[in-house]
Amino acid sequence: MNKVSIVMATYKPNLEYFKKQLSSLNKQEYSNLELIICDDSADEILFREIETIVKANVTAFKVNIVKNKQNLGSNKTFERLTSLATGEYIAYCDQDDIWESYKIKKLVEELERTHSIVCYSDLAVINEEDEVISNSFKKFSKRLNHIHGERVYHYFLRRNSITGCTMLVNTEIAKKSIPFPSYDEYVHDHWLALYSSCYGRVAYVEEPLIKYRIHSNNQIGAKVLFNIDRKHEYLTNKLYVERKKVETLKRHSLSNENKDIEYGIKCFETFVRERIEFFEDLSFKTLFKFLRHLPFDPILITFEFLVRVLPNFLSHKLIQKAKS
């Protein structure tokens, strides 16, 4: 039985949520586990409290608890955790969810059955009182499409369908993906999904295997168009960030000499550049180039067209509508 390293990043956790998460980890039916926790709170007193809570709530398998000397953020904390993992597989874990007891068992079985690099599942959504808001994240997040199979890296170049806390990854590939990009370029789960998809198959378990908690302090949660309210902010905080993603992809040896992946990155670069040009300089030429991408992503291109051409007060209302 291959060992699974559960890696958890903590940052000033709600201690009641934290205890429930730890309890759910302790009840996992898969027996060959280790838990590695890295606290990013940069608070010695809180760290000692976290240590005490972990020792009281996790007794079924080995636990290793470390802390960052200063706050590094989630990407760099999960990067450190990835480097510390000793199992054949890594399961990424948030501090405030609740895992089903069979989560690891089902993910390992599906990953090994399909000979995949990464496996993930659907999830149920709960609120602050543990009440189920939705029994499927696909119903909760309307544009979400749970992508899986062979050669699906073209999808992951642009967007992510894998929530990190549902993910089980081949450790060797996860370690190869280090260093992780900065958080504003690729969140760790998106980066791992993309990187893994370039090396092999992505597997999926349709059943929700965790209860994912949405609350006011979620780092990501259900936020859409974060830090974007106006037309100019869409350009600077969305499209310019996508341009940074392209540069990140070109710096990393992501293609692994695969011409199809190289072509995908070039297509993504063109897709980003021509949308930026349309926002920076509205003309018939930039409009023509922009509209060529309509068949590729009709919802996004229609939305961006309206944001760009509508008066500022109407584009602001449209963005607010999308966010709600």
Side-chain angles (χ1 to χ4, degrees):
M1 177 182 288
N2 286 314
K3 182 164 79 171
V4 175
S5 300
I6 302 173
V7 298
M8 177 193 290
T10 57
Y11 177 76
K12 298 181 179 179
N14 176 304
L15 298 182
E16 290 306 310
Y17 297 161
F18 185 51
K19 291 174 185 176
K20 291 177 181 179
Q21 173 66 299
L22 292 172
S23 177
S24 74
L25 300 183
N26 199 53
K27 295 174 184 176
Q28 288 300 299
E29 297 170 7
Y30 194 85
S31 59
N32 194 6
L33 298 172
E34 70 172 352
L35 172 62
I36 309 172
I37 296 174
C38 182
D39 184 54
D40 195 36
S41 306
D43 183 323
E44 185 66 32
I45 295 175
L46 179 57
F47 178 70
R48 297 304 170 196
E49 189 170 7
I50 288 171
E51 277 190 315
T52 300
I53 291 171
V54 172
K55 289 176 181 177
N57 286 274
V58 182
T59 57
F61 43 84
K62 180 182 176 182
V63 181
N64 179 23
I65 311 173
V66 299
K67 64 183 177 72
N68 294 331
K69 294 180 180 179
Q70 60 186 20
N71 176 244
L72 298 179
S74 60
N75 266 31
K76 287 302 176 184
T77 301
F78 275 115
E79 179 185 296
R80 183 183 180 189
L81 285 162
T82 300
S83 70
L84 293 173
T86 65
E88 284 74 30
Y89 307 130
I90 300 176
Y92 291 83
C93 183
D94 291 344
Q95 65 188 14
D96 46 17
D97 301 325
I98 299 174
W99 287 13
E100 302 293 354
S101 62
Y102 43 80
K103 174 185 189 283
I104 295 294
K105 181 174 180 289
K106 289 203 170 186
L107 288 175
V108 170
E109 287 175 349
E110 185 64 15
L111 186 141
E112 294 183 345
R113 184 188 71 81
T114 57
H115 306 287
S116 297
I117 298 297
V118 59
C119 184
Y120 71 110
S121 75
D122 197 0
L123 51 87
V125 181
I126 59 174
N127 63 16
E128 296 174 342
E129 284 73 44
D130 298 351
E131 298 168 333
V132 175
I133 301 171
S134 175
N135 58 14
S136 171
F137 203 49
K138 289 189 291 186
K139 297 177 182 177
F140 188 79
S141 184
K142 300 302 182 184
R143 288 197 72 203
L144 181 64
N145 184 13
H146 280 157
I147 298 296
H148 55 96
E150 300 277 2
R151 296 163 56 89
V152 292
Y153 37 76
H154 292 288
Y155 180 89
F156 290 108
L157 283 169
R158 290 193 47 234
R159 59 169 62 109
N160 187 28
S161 70
I162 301 181
T163 307
C165 51
T166 72
M167 175 188 292
L168 184 76
V169 190
N170 177 290
T171 300
E172 181 182 356
I173 298 302
K175 289 180 183 286
K176 278 184 178 181
S177 75
I178 294 173
F180 293 174
S182 64
Y183 180 85
D184 64 341
E185 294 171 357
Y186 281 99
V187 181
H188 75 279
D189 55 4
H190 189 179
W191 177 247
L192 285 161
L194 171 57
Y195 200 91
S196 298
S197 70
C198 292
Y199 280 84
R201 183 179 178 84
V202 176
Y204 175 63
V205 176
E206 190 170 3
E207 182 181 358
L209 298 182
I210 78 162
K211 295 183 176 72
Y212 179 67
R213 191 182 303 277
I214 296 288
H215 56 86
S216 58
N217 293 323
N218 277 89
Q219 184 173 15
I220 299 177
K223 294 177 181 176
V224 176
L225 298 174
F226 178 70
N227 205 26
I228 298 172
D229 291 296
R230 304 287 178 181
K231 185 181 303 189
H232 70 278
E233 291 172 342
Y234 192 91
L235 174 64
T236 57
N237 297 338
K238 169 71 172 176
L239 296 177
Y240 286 171
V241 168
E242 288 197 10
R243 185 166 62 188
K244 289 176 65 178
K245 287 183 179 182
V246 172
E247 295 306 314
T248 296
L249 296 174
K250 292 164 71 174
R251 286 197 307 271
H252 285 74
S253 56
L254 193 70
S255 68
N256 196 30
E257 298 184 355
N258 184 317
K259 296 300 181 183
D260 189 47
I261 299 174
E262 289 180 7
Y263 176 72
I265 293 173
K266 288 180 180 178
C267 290
F268 180 42
E269 183 177 19
T270 301
F271 180 65
V272 172
R273 183 183 66 251
E274 293 183 348
R275 288 156 61 219
I276 289 174
E277 290 173 351
F278 175 64
F279 268 75
E280 288 181 334
D281 179 24
L282 180 57
S283 67
F284 284 115
K285 181 179 179 180
T286 59
L287 175 61
F288 174 75
K289 290 182 178 180
F290 176 81
L291 291 178
R292 288 189 306 180
H293 301 287
L294 185 62
F296 181 54
D297 194 334
I299 294 176
L300 177 65
I301 295 301
T302 300
F303 173 75
E304 290 185 346
F305 173 79
L306 293 173
V307 168
R308 178 62 182 91
V309 302
L310 288 174
N312 288 334
F313 79 97
L314 287 178
S315 66
H316 171 67
K317 287 186 176 181
L318 179 62
I319 291 171
Q320 296 309 305
K321 179 69 174 177
K323 294 175 76 166
S324 65

